[in-house]
Amino acid sequence: MAENTITERDNVFFEAGIKLGALYHQFTGSPVSLKTVESLETAIAQSISVQPCVEQITVSIDRDMVRSKLNDEFGYCELEGRMLNVQIDVKYGSVRAHVSMEFNKELDYPLMKIDKVY
Amino acid sequence: MAENTITERDNVFFEAGIKLGALYHQFTGSPVSLKTVESLETAIAQSISVQPCVEQITVSIDRDMVRSKLNDEFGYCELEGRMLNVQIDVKYGSVRAHVSMEFNKELDYPLMKIDKVY
Amino acid sequence: MAENTITERDNVFFEAGIKLGALYHQFTGSPVSLKTVESLETAIAQSISVQPCVEQITVSIDRDMVRSKLNDEFGYCELEGRMLNVQIDVKYGSVRAHVSMEFNKELDYPLMKIDKVY
Amino acid sequence: MAENTITERDNVFFEAGIKLGALYHQFTGSPVSLKTVESLETAIAQSISVQPCVEQITVSIDRDMVRSKLNDEFGYCELEGRMLNVQIDVKYGSVRAHVSMEFNKELDYPLMKIDKVY
């Protein structure tokens, strides 16, 4: 196959990236506290699950980070990218991939990465 | 009291407006389907409830509008302001107010308004 | 006038709050660097200026905070609420108000407040 | 090379998807009018340009769609995904790709797609 033909594999990673970028920029900034974190996790996972090519998604928000960011005066904080651990299985045609987002301490960055194709 | 002194009443409406503006621009655009609409309602209400001055909040998303906007090919749509019915009770000092957002057909606009002060 | 009648003054503060809440949750999270900060300031101010009741708005993003938050590896950061200094004049009927958002160090919080009514 | 080894080509499409998903969910919903549309285009393009792997980006907002969506009473509308035409060149290692987002009338959908790899 010619190298410049776009494949299902190309598309599965393109779609996977779209989901992570969308999730991040739709939901970070949401007010959150330890009492409301679970409903936010559920809603984020369900919201992204309706998009094309998503087979499975789990969203986990780091309670320790939320706790450490709670404002002393007001008792809540905002959802930050670094608080998110997201695991997504994406399918395009006959190709599946697993991608994730997780805070990378060395880079001080919420790193999105490809974990596997199968 | 001098007219240019800022009162608790002034602040209760200022805080109420902040909540509605925040809710609208944080969550509209979220992917949603009939299966996931309830988790989104819950998360929006809980998220805004942690902000200062919020006594009570209910969020309802219009299922008929969601249904009519579902994309034929992909089976989901985005949360739009016009789909939202939001009722908030806000308190500042000793003053309470009820404000709301609801789609106004005549204006073709998701209208935010003050309902009462008490 | 009965205390429970909603006045222009009530509405001017409600509208002012809506603008600040909207601005905050629409634009925080935007990728930004020292080279792009000016275009973001301009777009935020112009975007909010088209909403009802806005007479004037200025938006300033703190360059020192942006600089201190730039990721070492990637050279950019995200717009945070604490980086924003926003000044808005709002008018409702015959009443005008000036409101603002500015980072409050003591509270460690991007504080929105009413500055004056006139 | 084993099929399950992740390549630069895989990553270029993953990164490209991230940019389009981020752009869409960060900026749709922004208030806009014909007078302010240009500053919003500029800010969106500059904002996404600072993210990793972006070589070039152009953002164009459809003036006719904005005009047709302006609210009669208030004279502005919100940026919708369907108004956006986005062209991005992304580079990962030695691989480049061109991706785009454009409204697809048949699907009634703001379609993101891979245009070429080079």
Side-chain angles (χ1 to χ4, degrees), chain A residues 37-47 59 61, chain B residues 39-40 43:
Chain A
V37 65
E38 192 175 339
S39 67
L40 193 55
E41 287 174 339
T42 302
I44 294 173
Q46 291 208 7
S47 178
V59 173
I61 299 171
Chain B
S39 66
L40 193 55

Side-chain angles (χ1 to χ4, degrees), chain B residues 12 39 66 89 117-118:
Chain B
V12 85
S39 66
V66 170
D89 287 284
V117 57
Y118 60 106

